[in-house]
Amino acid sequence: MEATIIHAEPQAEATSQIVQSLWRFGLTVRYRKKILLGALLAAVLLGGFYYATATRYYGAKAALVVTETGSDQASIGMTGEGNRQLNAMPTYKSLITCPKVLEGALDYLRPEDCVDMGELPREKWAGVIRANLSASIVRGTNIIEISYLSKDPDAAVRIVEAVVRSYREYLNRTHRGAAGEICRTLTKKMVEVEAEIARKEQETLAARSRVGDIRIHDDGRIVHPLVQRAAAFNDELIRIQKERIQLETSLAAIEKAVAGGEDLQQHVMTVANVVGEEILLRSLGFNPRDAATQATLERDLLDERAELKTMQEHLAAEHPEVQAKLEKIRVKEEYLYNYPQRINEWLTRIQDTQLRPKLVRMVRQKLDETCSLESSVQERYEKSRAEANRLNVELATLENNQRDLKRLQSWNEELLKKITDINLKQEGQEVRTEITQDPVAATSPMLPNKRRVALFALLAGLVLGLAGVHVADSLDDRFRAMEEIETQLNVSVLAMVRQLDVTDATGIGAIAMHAKSDAVGCEAFRTLRTALSLADHDARRIVISSAEPSDGKTTVLANLAVAHAQSRKKTLLIDADLRRPGLTAMLDMRGMDGLSSVLRGDHNVAEMAARHTRRSGIEGLDVLPAGPRPNNPAELLAHDRFSELLAWAETVYDHILIDSPPALAASDTAVIGRLIDGVILVVQPEKNCRRQVIRATESFTTLNIPLLGVVLNRLSDDDGRGYYGYGNGYGYTYDYRFDDDPADKQENTAAGAKTIGNYNNSRESDIIEGDIVDRDEDLVDRDGDLAKSA
């Protein structure tokens, strides 16, 4: 379940974004409907003009049904393929517009039927017919529909009739001779293949003769005697080379021993293994019979030991025969034991005189013989290898020829089979065409089609109109709807303030909420106050700023402060716009000490703040003016004394409202924003650029400064100046309907004013007490709905 939710959230968010984009574009289209209507009107006029001036074309249509008998062979005849399941209908359809059919149709036309050809030469008439002619297959059937468009309805009928007639004749003519033509083509191809087979057979025989192929096979491959001989010479050469290397090593060891005067007895066995033991003994003066005698004695000794063991089982140890046998065995063992010693003694005696020169001479002689043999075998091997390589090339050629021969023979058999099948079935094949619908002269033109022209004109006008709306909206970088602001800024619109009346009053009298609190425009500030009081979090320290100068942030701030004061909330106004202190100027407090004095002072912040705070003239509303203009406003606001000032104000006042410079004009708002509960952004839709406002809100998000919402200021009551009626978005009005009696009108006016005052006083008293009582629940719901709708 959790995995499903994780995957569903991005999809739901993407869907929501798409819906919001479509909603915004729909609102844009509604506002710029004149562009859309103009595009639609222009497209309709152009479509009407085209329909009135376009050349009329009349259509004629005929239908043919194509029936195959002997369909297997028909497929072969028409497509040239052996696939009997191939559907030939697309082929039949394409033949209708082939040049031969169209040229044949020209022979059946009269001069008055050629109204579409104009002054073109005859060789181009077929192209004109092809351009206006169309053929289609009825889905799931073997019916072909043929249509033609012409300026003359009678000419269209006659051209369709001529094309159908020419097509049927061409199909019958070509289909009857198709099987025979294919048979002749296949026969010609078979003759060529047979000639190729004969040539390949001759080449194969010649190759076998050259290589002397005696058909010796090994694992399915031919192994020629020349190849076997080369392999044998190679093995023998390797063996001789090993023997030569061994002799060279032995000769070097013996010569080193002779030169060093070392004992040569250890090399005797090595030489014996190389030259042969018997040859070595003979050359050193030993009788080979001694070795045979020694072997005989060893065998006799084994036999006598066996006899002794048998005698000991039947006779006593002191028996004369046993003692004789023991003596005989002892003599032979002693002889055999002393034989190697005698050989060594003899070799020691002849070592200096005979052994050394004989060993060296014998090994060198054997080495010379081995080198001579190696040279001879090497020569024979090189010759055999060359012959084997030549033979391998010939054998590869022979194998290729045999494969080609087998392939050609298979191909020849397939061609013969196809020719046989065609000859057997040629009599049963036939393609028939029947006309199922004759062409009829049209009474009304087919082109231009009134419905299609109208639909295309409306569609083109709609597309061009929407594109024009999009371009116009992209070039107009202003907000045009409350929904657009909430969607693009991702914040709520807290209130919408109308254009207030300009007054010449100064000081507290310049604030509309104080001068004319019952005016219609002042209700927006009560809505703003209510929206803030009903917010999810308690926002007591609020900064009001704007994206650009002259957006009315100071006016909104002052009126909101008066609204809080009227609801019996102790409120402090701080003019933190030390660059252009608009609040100080509005309240006529220029030249007074204020915020800059507190921030630059050295005394206690609370004492200085209390001393420099001014009474506004409204109960519960105090003002801390900007004070003397500093050179470093951002540094002063970033000082700890400003945070201490806010801490002191929070202990004394219920609400602290701060006026700051525009967010994009200076960094003061960002510096103050880290110390307060939230920022309210004042937007003037008729003036502010959309990109500038978005940049301002993004800067707050980047710095983690909470943006409570936006206030739309200076909205016009004129529907023509702002679409969706920014000035008419309150959802209620203070206008009252009166009877014709002037006295009743005056009385009802007073009663209406009294009702408004009672409503406001009741609402504010409920908010002051912090709880909404049951008897005023309806009023609270109305006020909350106003805040939410904003």
Side-chain angles (χ1 to χ4, degrees):
M1 181 63 68
E2 294 180 355
T4 303
I5 294 176
I6 291 175
H7 288 287
E9 287 180 355
Q11 182 177 3
E13 183 178 355
T15 304
S16 176
Q17 292 178 355
I18 294 174
V19 171
Q20 290 177 0
S21 299
L22 293 176
W23 172 254
R24 177 185 173 277
F25 187 70
L27 297 177
T28 304
V29 172
R30 179 182 174 186
Y31 169 68
R32 302 186 182 276
K33 57 186 176 182
K34 292 182 179 180
I35 298 178
L36 179 60
L37 294 177
L40 288 173
L41 179 60
V44 169
L45 292 177
L46 289 176
F49 177 77
Y50 168 76
Y51 182 79
T53 58
T55 303
R56 267 50 178 172
Y57 284 90
Y58 298 86
K61 181 172 69 174
L64 292 176
V65 58
V66 179
T67 306
E68 295 182 351
T69 59
S71 57
D72 293 342
Q73 200 59 36
S75 296
I76 297 175
M78 295 305 299
T79 61
E81 299 292 337
N83 186 2
R84 300 179 180 182
Q85 302 299 322
L86 182 63
N87 187 356
M89 290 305 297
T91 304
Y92 296 142
K93 186 197 76 170
S94 62
L95 289 176
I96 294 175
T97 56
C98 71
K100 289 188 177 181
V101 172
L102 299 181
E103 291 175 358
L106 295 177
D107 298 333
Y108 303 110
L109 297 179
R110 299 173 298 179
E112 57 270 20
D113 300 333
C114 303
V115 294
D116 300 323
M117 288 55 173
E119 302 297 332
L120 294 176
R122 182 181 175 83
E123 56 268 16
K124 294 185 179 182
W125 288 5
V128 175
I129 295 178
R130 184 186 297 109
N132 296 327
L133 185 69
S134 63
S136 61
I137 302 174
V138 179
R139 186 178 182 86
T141 67
N142 57 344
I143 298 176
I144 301 177
E145 294 182 344
I146 303 173
S147 302
Y148 186 81
L149 294 177
S150 176
K151 299 175 184 178
D152 184 2
D154 296 330
V157 171
R158 285 189 287 269
I159 290 177
V160 170
E161 292 174 345
V163 170
V164 169
R165 181 178 178 182
S166 175
Y167 171 71
R168 297 181 67 185
E169 292 180 355
Y170 174 80
L171 194 62
N172 294 332
R173 182 175 62 254
T174 56
H175 188 72
R176 283 196 301 268
E181 183 66 24
I182 292 175
C183 185
R184 287 190 295 271
T185 302
L186 294 179
T187 302
K188 181 179 179 181
K189 188 65 178 179
M190 188 176 68
V191 172
E192 295 176 357
V193 171
E194 289 177 349
E196 185 69 14
I197 290 174
R199 186 177 65 82
K200 286 293 181 181
E201 288 177 347
Q202 293 296 328
E203 292 180 356
T204 301
L205 292 176
R208 286 181 179 177
S209 176
R210 287 194 302 271
V211 302
D213 183 14
I214 58 177
R215 314 302 290 176
I216 299 177
H217 295 272
D218 183 14
D219 296 334
R221 297 184 60 83
I222 299 175
V223 182
H224 199 276
L226 289 178
V227 178
Q228 295 178 345
R229 184 169 62 182
F233 276 129
N234 182 54
D235 296 338
E236 182 67 17
L237 179 62
I238 293 173
R239 185 190 65 78
I240 293 173
Q241 288 175 346
K242 290 181 179 179
E243 184 177 352
R244 173 178 57 78
I245 293 172
Q246 184 179 1
L247 288 172
E248 289 176 349
T249 303
S250 299
L251 180 60
I254 293 173
E255 289 179 346
K256 181 179 180 182
V258 171
E262 300 176 0
D263 187 9
L264 296 179
Q265 293 184 14
Q266 59 181 344
H267 297 288
V268 172
M269 295 309 298
T270 303
V271 176
N273 293 332
V274 174
V275 301
E277 182 177 358
E278 184 176 353
I279 296 175
L280 176 62
L281 292 176
R282 287 181 180 276
S283 62
L284 295 178
F286 281 100
N287 190 354
R289 294 179 180 178
D290 293 340
T293 301
Q294 184 180 3
T296 302
L297 288 175
E298 290 178 350
R299 289 193 299 271
D300 295 343
L301 182 60
L302 292 176
D303 295 339
E304 289 177 358
R305 286 175 177 172
E307 293 176 359
L308 176 62
K309 185 176 181 181
T310 303
M311 294 172 63
Q312 287 176 345
E313 293 177 356
H314 300 86
L315 300 175
E318 293 81 8
H319 194 277
E321 293 183 2
V322 174
Q323 294 294 326
K325 181 64 69 175
L326 289 174
E327 181 64 19
K328 191 174 181 179
I329 291 173
R330 184 188 64 78
V331 172
K332 290 182 179 181
E333 287 179 345
E334 183 178 356
Y335 177 82
L336 292 174
Y337 177 77
N338 293 328
Y339 180 77
Q341 184 177 359
R342 292 195 302 273
I343 294 296
N344 291 334
E345 292 176 354
W346 185 81
L347 290 175
T348 302
R349 290 196 303 271
I350 68 174
Q351 180 172 346
D352 296 333
T353 58
Q354 299 180 13
L355 183 59
R356 291 179 179 176
K358 284 186 177 182
L359 286 177
V360 173
R361 184 173 63 256
M362 291 177 65
V363 174
R364 182 174 287 114
Q365 181 180 359
K366 186 65 175 179
L367 179 61
D368 293 340
E369 292 175 358
T370 303
C371 291
S372 176
L373 181 61
E374 180 183 4
S375 299
S376 176
V377 174
Q378 179 73 29
E379 181 180 357
R380 291 177 178 272
Y381 168 69
E382 294 296 337
K383 183 177 179 181
S384 298
R385 186 178 65 176
E387 293 177 353
N389 290 337
R390 179 187 59 79
L391 179 64
N392 285 334
V393 175
E394 294 291 342
L395 288 175
T397 303
L398 177 60
E399 291 180 359
N400 292 335
N401 286 338
Q402 289 176 342
R403 284 196 297 269
D404 292 343
L405 181 60
K406 185 179 294 186
R407 177 178 56 81
L408 290 172
Q409 289 174 347
S410 177
W411 193 4
N412 185 60
E413 292 176 359
E414 184 68 21
L415 290 174
L416 181 60
K417 183 179 178 180
K418 287 184 178 182
I419 293 173
T420 303
D421 291 342
I422 293 175
N423 290 332
L424 290 175
K425 298 182 180 181
Q426 185 174 3
E427 296 299 329
Q429 87 178 50
E430 185 178 0
V431 175
R432 297 178 181 177
T433 57
E434 295 291 338
I435 300 176
T436 60
Q437 178 181 342
D438 293 320
V440 179
T443 57
S444 59
M446 183 174 293
L447 292 179
N449 186 281
K450 184 185 299 184
R451 182 176 300 176
R452 291 181 182 178
V453 171
L455 182 62
F456 179 78
L458 291 176
L459 181 62
L462 181 62
V463 172
L464 293 177
L466 293 178
V469 169
H470 177 70
V471 172
D473 186 65
S474 300
L475 297 177
D476 185 5
D477 190 24
R478 291 185 301 169
F479 290 111
R480 288 296 183 181
M482 182 182 69
E483 293 83 358
E484 181 181 0
I485 294 177
E486 291 180 338
T487 300
Q488 295 199 13
L489 302 184
N490 197 23
V491 294
S492 300
V493 175
L494 300 177
M496 296 186 293
V497 182
R498 298 186 180 185
Q499 178 69 47
L500 300 178
D501 296 333
V502 180
T503 178
D504 296 333
T506 58
I508 198 65
I511 303 177
M513 279 296 295
H514 175 69
K516 297 176 62 177
S517 61
D518 57 348
V520 175
C522 295
E523 188 61 29
F525 303 109
R526 296 188 183 92
T527 301
L528 175 59
R529 179 193 62 198
T530 304
L532 293 175
S533 65
L534 296 178
D536 294 337
H537 56 280
D538 186 17
R540 297 178 57 195
R541 299 173 299 177
I542 299 176
V543 171
I544 296 184
S545 181
S546 61
E548 303 174 13
S550 303
D551 288 340
K553 61 180 179 59
T554 302
T555 303
V556 174
L557 174 76
N559 283 276
L560 176 61
V562 173
H564 278 303
Q566 290 175 352
S567 63
R568 302 178 187 177
K569 294 290 186 179
K570 197 172 182 181
T571 306
L572 174 63
L573 271 176
I574 300 177
D575 190 356
D577 190 352
L578 302 179
R579 304 171 189 271
R580 295 178 59 185
L583 180 63
T584 301
M586 174 187 290
L587 299 178
D588 198 15
M589 294 183 180
R590 294 177 180 174
M592 298 181 182
D593 291 334
L595 178 62
S596 62
S597 303
V598 175
L599 298 180
R600 289 189 293 189
D602 298 329
H603 300 288
N604 183 269
V605 173
E607 295 177 357
M608 293 189 68
R611 186 169 60 250
H612 295 311
T613 299
R614 311 297 177 185
R615 301 299 178 184
S616 64
I618 299 176
E619 182 181 358
L621 178 61
D622 295 339
V623 181
L624 180 60
R629 183 174 299 180
N631 295 327
N632 54 346
E635 288 75 5
L636 286 178
L637 294 173
H639 199 273
D640 293 339
R641 292 181 66 85
F642 185 71
S643 60
E644 295 176 8
L645 172 64
L646 293 179
W648 165 81
E650 195 171 10
T651 61
V652 178
Y653 297 94
D654 296 319
H655 295 283
I656 300 101
L657 303 180
I658 305 170
D659 188 13
S660 68
L664 299 181
S667 62
D668 299 5
T669 304
V671 174
I672 301 172
R674 63 188 179 89
L675 303 173
I676 48 84
D677 298 326
V679 177
I680 296 176
L681 187 67
V682 177
V683 177
Q684 187 176 344
E686 294 293 333
K687 169 181 172 293
N688 291 141
C689 295
R690 184 164 38 192
R691 296 181 180 87
Q692 299 294 334
V693 178
I694 293 175
R695 281 182 54 195
T697 57
E698 288 178 349
S699 66
F700 295 144
T701 304
T702 303
L703 298 174
N704 293 325
I705 298 175
L707 181 60
L708 302 179
V710 297
V711 174
L712 305 183
N713 193 27
R714 296 176 184 171
L715 301 181
S716 173
D717 291 333
D718 185 5
D719 291 342
R721 296 188 58 189
Y723 63 89
Y724 323 129
Y726 269 129
N728 297 306
Y730 290 97
Y732 66 95
T733 178
Y734 282 91
D735 296 335
Y736 295 90
R737 297 185 180 274
F738 302 102
D739 296 331
D740 295 334
D741 190 349
D744 292 341
K745 182 181 296 184
Q746 182 178 1
E747 181 181 355
N748 289 336
T749 302
K754 182 178 179 180
T755 301
I756 295 171
N758 293 335
Y759 163 72
N760 292 330
N761 293 334
S762 175
R763 179 68 185 96
E764 304 307 331
S765 62
D766 290 341
I767 296 176
I768 291 172
E769 294 174 1
D771 190 16
I772 301 176
V773 297
D774 295 338
R775 64 182 178 84
D776 293 332
E777 190 172 4
D778 293 338
L779 297 177
V780 173
D781 292 339
R782 287 181 58 193
D783 225 357
D785 292 339
L786 293 177
K788 293 179 180 179
S789 65

